Amino acid sequence: MVSRRLQDSANRLFGKAATFIENGEYDRALESLKDVDKIMKKEKDPEISFHTLFLKGYAISKARDPEEALEFYGEALKIIEPLFSEEPGKKNYQKFISNTIEEIGSSFDELIDEERAKELLRPMKKQFEKVVRAFEELVKSDPENQEYLSGFLEIIGSMGLCYQVGELMDETVKLFDKKIDIYEKLFELGSGETDFLGDFDEDIELYGYFFRNYGHLKEAEENYLRAAGIYRKMIERNPENSMAEYYLSYTYSYLGSLYSDMETLEKAERYYEEAVELMDKGYKEFPEDYAYAVSLANIHESYGIAFSNREDLEKSIANYTKAREIYRDLIINHPSEFAHNKKIAMYLDDLGDRFSKIGEFEAAELCYKDKLDVFRNLHDEDPEDLNPIFEISDTYEELGDLFAEHGETEKAKDYYEKEIEIYESLLETEPDALDYKTYKAEVQAAIGKLYLDKEPEKAQKYFEDALSVIENNFGLEAEMDIHYSVLKKVLNNFIQLFKNQEEHEKASEMYSKLLAVQQRMLDLNPEEREYKEDLAVTYTNLALLHSERGDIEQEARYHRLALDIHEKILEESSDYPLFLQRFVTGIYLLGSRIKLDEESRGKESGIVKEYLELAKKAENKLYAVKPEIMEEKEMIAEIAEKMGISFRENEMYEEAIEEFKRSLAIREKLHEKNPEDLNYLTVLEGTFHQMGITFLAQTDLEKAKEALEKAMNLNAKLLETDPEDFNYLARSPMIFETYSSVLENMGKSEEAAKYLAKAEEINAKLGYSNE
């Protein structure tokens, strides 16, 4: 055991280090901990070693270096885990282990490099498992000890965050199951309502979203259903348990959202109706408890979202409207609580966006106006606080954007001008504030854009006023991203204006300015991927401009510059799945855009093939880094099919077949999970048809025949469900005609003629001519 004198010295130094950390003096904190290292050279003590390593990690994490912090926390965990496992009932050890795992979780959450996170987590996992086992034994020794249970709950929560960051799905599921077990035990012991119900709901929601985001819908469903069962048991034990009913209502809404995602709309609607009924009951029973009103509005909004992408929007509109009426009622009838409530203002902002997306512009305007009233009240309450002013400005911009999108130019202009008035007022008090000048210039550009098509001279005047200001601001503060962002927007507006007027020389001048600005940003931030991507996009747009002008040499030059940048970006970022997924989609769409441009001009070059080859290269890296992305990704399947068609059109047949197979693999899994959804049969039929066309182009006739027969079988199944469906019928002759060509090439002319006759018969029925 370390001597009292050395223990006191270490504690004193720990106190100093903690004070330095609190004051943001991280280097001084680390210096003071070096003195503890000197003490430890004389006499070893595991607790002092633990505290030293923990505080070093804590100082470094506060200095924003999560990777190095994790290395120290990992060493601290190695020391404290055996002490805790030996004496899990000791409160100090419980506290030490809990703090360590919590800080490890926070550092993992801040670490951007996913692969490095997994690498650092690997050695810690064994210690985590030992901690769980020790706590399980502790709880087993005294199963009704609420202190042990709540401590275990806290530690599992921090571990869960680590496993989520490391994408260890199986471990996360097992850990969360343990967490629910503990919650259930605590509720049985009667401590749920006051201490744990809110935490339980938060966990159910967060883990549910985590499972759903990674495509583990079954786990999400089980999670929600188990939670609902626990709440129902609580209500059975105590029918007056209004808090359990309150959270049960939210759980039903989570189930509604999940089933909506799964396209199981009857279940979605049933659970949303139950959620609304339960929350409405509380709303009426406890009118003085405004949490019920806010929660009921939230559930109505979630209900509306579930049906916002359907052909029948009535449910969506009705639920959004109900949510808006509840918020409005709170503001009018309870002004002391809600007329100054920022949270209600943000809910209204979100609801305005929801209405806007489904084309309910007047309802969206009402939401934004209610939001305006809240922030005006807040401004009146404290005129020195600028935050409400900025919120009012943002809301005028949202209203301007809303009516600009709806084509109501003058109404949009009125709202934009109100926003300009705010910045002019701010500039009266701070005439040198460059950011206010930039924001004002941005709004001027937005007004100019309103007149871009119909009144180009007026648009140009607004753009010129904005440009003169923003160029100056960028020159003075190029490092401020806001100036670059607005300058880029204004220059692109000018480019669009001059292209519309076919003034290509003027458009080229603006492109030159834009390139200079983007190069300046890259010089200041050479590692910033966003600026590289911006530069590549500008080169591609310049290539397309020169294509319009018939300048083949300059077109090729700019495409080459763009491709070189994309190649470098891919090389530097090849280990990030989310980036790779976006990159594949973006490059494919870019290649498709160039293909359309070439087709419209009756020309063909090899550049489209280069873009598609780059997309393929990125896709291969994506599947190498994260092969599980193939599962349940409809968007990936759709892109794969489109890429397959593009590859075939560019005579890249092997690549095309690979893409079609990738698309089929995803869609077949989706069909297995949703056998009643005919949409999957339709897309599978289409993909098999495309494969058949591709094999035919390769003259691989047996494989073409096999693929087309699968397409015909699927089409027949669809027609069994509705023999008169126009879409099913219209696709039949296309498949028959391709199949007829395959048979003809195989020397089966008689059979080929039969299928061609079938195609002609259906076309005649549909009113098409084969001439």
Side-chain angles (χ1 to χ4, degrees):
M1 181 181 287
V2 72
S3 70
R4 173 60 65 88
R5 184 176 61 80
L6 289 177
Q7 180 71 61
D8 288 346
S9 296
N11 287 341
R12 199 161 48 250
L13 290 166
F14 291 146
K16 277 176 69 178
T19 303
F20 287 139
I21 293 169
E22 194 176 322
N23 294 330
E25 299 176 85
Y26 308 121
D27 289 338
R28 292 186 71 186
L30 292 169
E31 280 299 317
S32 69
L33 291 169
K34 284 181 182 176
D35 292 334
V36 184
D37 288 333
K38 291 173 188 173
I39 292 172
M40 292 310 298
K41 281 181 182 175
K42 296 179 183 177
E43 207 164 342
K44 300 290 180 188
D45 180 87
E47 286 192 33
I48 292 177
S49 295
F50 161 74
H51 284 301
T52 306
L53 290 162
F54 179 84
L55 282 169
K56 282 180 181 178
Y58 192 62
I60 290 164
S61 73
K62 290 293 179 186
R64 303 288 178 205
D65 187 349
E67 183 173 338
E68 190 178 353
L70 280 165
E71 291 177 11
F72 280 107
Y73 287 144
E75 292 302 312
L77 183 65
K78 284 179 187 175
I79 292 171
I80 196 59
E81 179 273 310
L83 297 177
F84 168 75
S85 293
E86 188 68 31
E87 297 181 78
K90 196 170 178 178
K91 286 189 178 180
N92 269 358
Y93 290 163
Q94 286 183 23
K95 182 182 172 186
F96 297 161
I97 201 81
S98 177
N99 288 346
T100 305
I101 296 174
E102 182 181 354
E103 291 304 324
I104 287 171
S106 297
S107 294
F108 272 127
D109 199 33
E110 290 174 16
L111 195 62
I112 297 169
D113 188 337
E114 291 179 14
E115 292 309 309
R116 182 65 178 140
K118 290 176 187 176
E119 191 180 320
L120 289 166
L121 178 60
R122 222 168 282 128
M124 294 180 189
K125 191 168 166 286
K126 287 182 181 177
Q127 261 102 32
F128 286 172
E129 289 165 354
K130 288 179 182 177
V131 168
V132 168
R133 285 197 293 271
F135 239 123
E136 283 176 332
E137 289 301 316
L138 182 66
V139 168
K140 202 181 289 181
S141 70
D142 189 356
E144 298 194 357
N145 188 317
Q146 293 185 31
E147 209 171 290
Y148 290 168
L149 289 166
S150 58
F152 196 11
L153 202 59
E154 190 177 322
I155 280 178
I156 283 180
S158 299
M159 281 185 195
L161 178 59
C162 299
Y163 286 157
Q164 287 174 49
V165 172
E167 295 181 16
L168 300 175
M169 183 56 68
D170 290 344
E171 288 81 353
T172 303
V173 172
K174 287 174 189 172
L175 211 57
F176 190 58
D177 285 343
K178 289 183 192 296
K179 204 170 188 184
I180 296 183
D181 289 341
I182 298 166
Y183 275 122
E184 191 166 19
K185 183 67 179 174
L186 285 164
F187 295 147
E188 285 170 4
L189 293 171
S191 59
E193 274 193 45
T194 53
D195 300 326
F196 297 106
L197 264 175
D199 292 341
F200 182 51
D201 172 68
E202 192 175 305
D203 276 336
I204 291 297
E205 182 181 19
L206 289 175
Y207 276 86
Y209 280 131
F210 174 72
F211 294 145
R212 287 162 68 176
N213 286 343
Y214 282 91
H216 290 255
L217 302 184
K218 184 171 177 290
E219 286 80 0
E221 182 183 28
E222 288 171 355
N223 161 24
Y224 296 145
L225 289 171
R226 188 173 175 201
I230 289 170
Y231 289 131
R232 285 194 291 265
K233 281 182 189 174
M234 293 175 76
I235 295 164
E236 283 172 19
R237 289 196 295 269
N238 175 14
E240 301 301 312
N241 192 334
S242 58
M243 289 303 292
E245 285 188 338
Y246 176 86
Y247 288 115
L248 175 58
S249 172
Y250 262 119
T251 303
Y252 284 152
S253 77
Y254 305 150
L255 278 160
S257 174
L258 172 70
Y259 288 127
S260 169
D261 288 350
M262 295 168 71
E263 300 285 337
T264 315
L265 296 183
E266 283 186 19
K267 275 190 176 182
E269 188 171 1
R270 176 162 59 84
Y271 276 108
Y272 271 121
E273 289 293 341
E274 290 191 40
V276 166
E277 186 181 343
L278 262 181
M279 194 63 76
D280 192 53
K281 177 188 170 198
Y283 177 47
K284 288 169 181 169
E285 281 182 10
F286 306 101
E288 73 289 350
D289 189 344
Y290 304 128
Y292 282 99
V294 174
S295 298
L296 182 58
N298 286 341
I299 290 170
H300 274 299
E301 184 177 351
S302 179
Y303 193 169
I305 292 166
F307 288 87
S308 62
N309 293 322
R310 319 296 171 198
E311 287 182 12
D312 180 4
L313 289 175
E314 285 181 15
K315 289 185 179 70
S316 189
I317 294 167
N319 280 284
Y320 288 159
T321 302
K322 187 64 181 173
R324 182 177 60 76
E325 287 170 353
I326 292 169
Y327 293 137
R328 183 71 182 152
D329 178 71
L330 288 169
I331 291 170
I332 291 172
N333 297 318
H334 310 283
S336 59
E337 289 88 357
F338 295 104
H340 302 73
N341 191 301
K342 291 179 188 176
K343 188 172 278 189
I344 291 292
M346 291 301 100
Y347 288 149
L348 284 162
D349 182 72
D350 189 46
L351 201 54
D353 184 51
R354 302 287 178 203
F355 274 122
S356 176
K357 282 177 179 172
I358 60 172
E360 294 291 307
F361 297 106
E362 288 181 10
E365 184 181 19
L366 291 172
C367 290
Y368 291 136
K369 282 183 171 178
D370 285 343
K371 176 193 168 189
L372 270 176
D373 287 342
V374 172
F375 282 109
R376 283 189 188 120
N377 293 335
L378 286 164
H379 176 57
D380 292 342
E381 196 175 81
D382 184 3
E384 299 302 311
D385 184 2
L386 292 180
N387 286 319
I389 289 286
F390 295 138
E391 292 290 351
I392 291 167
S393 166
D394 288 347
T395 309
Y396 281 136
E397 185 175 352
E398 286 174 314
L399 282 159
D401 291 346
L402 177 72
F403 289 102
E405 183 185 335
H406 197 38
E408 295 190 32
T409 301
E410 291 310 309
K411 203 166 183 179
K413 181 172 175 278
D414 288 344
Y415 280 121
Y416 286 140
E417 285 178 342
K418 287 179 190 296
E419 187 180 6
I420 285 177
E421 285 171 18
I422 288 175
Y423 287 112
E424 285 175 343
S425 173
L426 289 167
L427 282 163
E428 284 176 13
T429 57
E430 290 186 67
D432 297 324
L434 295 187
D435 52 343
Y436 295 162
K437 292 178 182 180
T438 293
Y439 291 133
K440 180 184 170 184
E442 185 175 23
V443 185
Q444 286 174 318
I447 295 174
K449 204 169 178 185
L450 294 172
Y451 300 103
L452 191 60
D453 295 325
K454 294 182 179 176
E455 298 182 63
E457 296 85 3
K458 191 181 279 192
Q460 186 167 344
K461 179 68 174 68
Y462 277 107
F463 295 157
E464 284 169 353
D465 290 345
L467 186 61
S468 63
V469 171
I470 195 61
E471 277 188 316
N472 178 67
N473 292 355
F474 180 75
L476 293 171
E477 291 182 344
E479 71 281 1
M480 296 294 288
D481 192 70
I482 179 60
H483 303 317
Y484 165 68
S485 174
V486 176
L487 181 53
K488 181 176 68 169
K489 192 180 292 184
V490 174
L491 288 169
N492 276 312
N493 284 343
F494 262 119
I495 288 164
Q496 189 59 53
L497 174 75
F498 292 136
K499 283 176 73 176
N500 287 354
Q501 297 175 317
E502 296 188 1
E503 296 187 61
H504 291 140
E505 287 301 329
K506 287 184 178 179
S508 292
E509 285 174 27
M510 290 300 158
Y511 269 127
S512 296
K513 282 191 175 190
L514 184 56
L515 286 173
V517 167
Q518 290 172 332
Q519 191 57 58
R520 175 94 185 271
M521 292 305 289
L522 257 180
D523 292 341
L524 289 169
N525 309 275
E527 301 304 316
E528 186 61 54
R529 190 169 69 214
E530 177 193 343
Y531 302 131
K532 295 174 186 176
E533 288 175 340
D534 283 352
L535 189 58
V537 167
T538 303
Y539 282 143
T540 301
N541 287 334
L542 263 167
L544 292 170
L545 179 69
H546 285 291
S547 172
E548 289 175 28
R549 300 172 70 180
D551 189 338
I552 296 170
E553 187 177 331
Q554 286 292 80
E555 178 193 1
R557 173 174 169 258
Y558 284 116
H559 273 312
R560 174 48 49 210
L561 287 167
L563 277 164
D564 286 347
I565 293 173
H566 286 307
E567 286 274 8
K568 284 175 186 171
I569 290 172
L570 178 60
E571 190 178 323
E572 292 165 3
S573 312
S574 60
D575 292 334
Y576 297 99
L578 289 176
F579 163 76
L580 287 168
Q581 189 173 334
R582 184 170 65 85
F583 188 88
V584 170
T585 307
I587 295 295
Y588 162 71
L589 292 173
L590 198 53
S592 299
R593 179 184 166 198
I594 296 163
K595 178 80 173 174
L596 287 172
D597 178 71
E598 290 190 349
E599 285 175 353
S600 71
R601 298 180 193 288
K603 56 178 277 192
E604 189 176 331
S605 73
I607 201 70
V608 174
K609 188 172 181 180
E610 288 194 55
Y611 275 102
L612 291 174
E613 284 173 344
L614 181 60
K616 184 67 184 171
K617 185 177 176 183
E619 190 184 45
N620 289 339
K621 286 195 173 188
L622 172 62
Y623 293 124
V625 170
K626 194 171 183 178
E628 66 272 20
I629 204 163
M630 281 284 287
E631 295 175 10
E632 298 179 6
K633 299 284 182 182
E634 173 58 35
M635 187 189 77
I636 296 288
E638 188 176 341
I639 291 290
E641 182 172 350
K642 287 178 178 175
M643 282 180 70
I645 294 168
S646 294
F647 282 135
R648 184 182 67 228
E649 288 173 352
N650 285 274
E651 298 182 5
M652 300 163 69
Y653 300 124
E654 293 300 327
E655 292 87 345
I657 292 298
E658 194 176 326
E659 292 302 321
F660 292 136
K661 284 180 178 176
R662 205 185 299 282
S663 177
L664 284 170
I666 296 169
R667 283 166 163 167
E668 282 171 344
K669 280 187 180 179
L670 287 166
H671 178 54
E672 283 170 19
K673 294 196 171 188
N674 304 275
E676 303 304 314
D677 190 341
L678 298 180
N679 186 51
Y680 292 118
L681 286 182
T682 304
V683 291
L684 283 168
E685 173 215 278
T687 309
F688 277 120
H689 186 200
Q690 294 298 337
M691 281 184 82
I693 295 169
T694 309
F695 282 128
L696 175 59
Q698 276 184 302
T699 63
D700 192 337
L701 301 178
E702 284 298 333
K703 286 184 180 176
K705 183 172 179 287
E706 183 185 343
L708 290 166
E709 284 170 354
K710 287 179 180 176
M712 285 191 291
N713 288 337
L714 288 168
N715 184 257
K717 279 187 183 178
L718 288 165
L719 283 167
E720 281 173 18
T721 65
D722 187 352
E724 299 304 315
D725 186 288
F726 178 84
N727 290 320
Y728 302 157
L729 280 168
R731 288 198 301 274
S732 296
M734 293 189 289
I735 301 169
F736 289 151
E737 284 169 10
T738 312
Y739 191 63
S740 173
S741 296
V742 171
L743 294 172
E744 190 67 50
N745 278 278
M746 295 176 87
K748 300 178 181 181
S749 299
E750 192 175 329
E751 197 177 345
K754 287 179 186 176
Y755 280 96
L756 194 57
K758 280 186 182 183
E760 289 170 353
E761 183 185 335
I762 296 170
N763 279 331
K765 181 179 178 181
L766 295 171
Y768 294 151
S769 170
N770 290 317
E771 291 179 9

